[in-house]
Amino acid sequence: MALAWSATLSMAFPATNITATKPIFDGTVGANCPPCKEFGSTVLSKLYAADGIAQAVEFNFHSAIRSAGSPTADHSWACPDEDPGCPMTKWFICAVDGWNRTTTTQDQQINFLTCWDDAAGTSEQKAKACAETAGLNFGPISTCQSGTKGDELQVAAATYFEQRFPTHAHSGIFGVPHLFLNGEDLGYDVQYDALLKKLCATGIDAGACKTK
């Protein structure tokens, strides 16, 4: 699979409400980069649907967005394969509420992500259709996108990106999708069989691992 040198997401830092007993599959993805969309619509959707994987693994994703300077002061947002300001990412991040696990569930987040990566239309049309698919209320998503909350979520996501990827936090390649498993940097290893093997090697009890 080709690499996207435009935006990234992920981190080994603790995330909200992570279940310590589960392996943490962590990824940073862009809302519009072709390799990210291919990963989401094919590999991730298949992996998440594999027998027992969604229940046995903590999926902890982030959005690839950055600025030229400090995210708290410089809001000239850049994202992979997006117009300046990251309008697509703003819709996306509002839908998953900044990947907040207290307001959106893992199922909702991953289902929205995989739907988005396979959907067509404008960002608003995709957000509306995938919100319905994921069981999310579109009203708050639209309000977030047009209001200050969307701006705040972009700041938070860019701050996370800056901390997680300091070598290319403000310039250079983005390198997404970028994956981690329990803090181990998997880089761009986004093939289904390889990822399933790594997840199973953590000792999880999942039907998909019993056929390997």
Side-chain angles (χ1 to χ4, degrees):
M1 176 180 289
L3 301 183
W5 303 116
S6 298
T8 216
L9 87 73
S10 208
M11 160 175 195
F13 304 154
T16 305
N17 292 345
I18 292 299
T19 304
T21 58
K22 294 182 179 181
I24 300 173
F25 183 57
D26 188 85
T28 295
V29 294
N32 196 48
C33 73
C36 298
K37 293 195 290 184
E38 183 179 352
F39 168 69
S41 62
T42 59
V43 177
L44 183 59
S45 60
K46 183 178 179 181
L47 192 66
Y48 199 72
D51 187 13
I53 295 298
Q55 294 74 36
V57 177
E58 189 74 36
F59 286 76
N60 182 29
F61 275 70
H62 310 273
S63 294
I65 180 172
R66 69 186 184 189
S67 59
S70 168
T72 56
D74 178 7
H75 296 177
S76 56
W77 306 125
C79 296
D81 300 282
E82 277 193 64
D83 292 335
C86 302
M88 298 182 75
T89 292
K90 192 173 186 181
W91 274 106
F92 187 101
I93 206 170
C94 278
V96 296
D97 196 20
W99 302 97
N100 187 348
R101 197 55 59 77
T102 62
T103 56
T104 52
T105 68
Q106 173 174 289
D107 282 349
Q108 288 174 324
Q109 291 175 2
I110 301 302
N111 288 338
F112 184 89
L113 169 59
T114 55
C115 171
W116 174 279
D117 287 340
D118 196 39
T122 66
S123 297
E124 182 174 3
Q125 289 169 338
K126 291 173 63 171
K128 190 171 186 178
C130 292
E132 183 175 354
T133 296
L136 296 167
N137 187 344
F138 181 71
I141 296 172
S142 181
T143 299
C144 169
Q145 186 276 335
S146 61
T148 58
K149 183 175 181 179
D151 299 329
E152 293 168 357
L153 292 180
Q154 287 181 303
V155 171
T159 299
Y160 180 90
F161 186 87
E162 179 184 57
Q163 294 171 347
R164 187 64 187 89
F165 302 104
T167 61
H168 49 282
H170 304 293
S171 64
I173 65 170
F174 284 92
V176 287
H178 199 137
L179 307 174
F180 294 79
L181 178 59
N182 284 338
E184 176 191 356
D185 191 343
L186 304 181
Y188 317 105
D189 187 0
V190 295
Q191 299 304 312
Y192 172 80
D193 288 339
L195 292 176
L196 180 60
K197 183 177 180 179
K198 289 180 180 293
L199 289 176
C200 292
T202 64
I204 59 174
D205 182 15
C209 296
K210 294 178 172 60
T211 61
K212 298 302 290 179

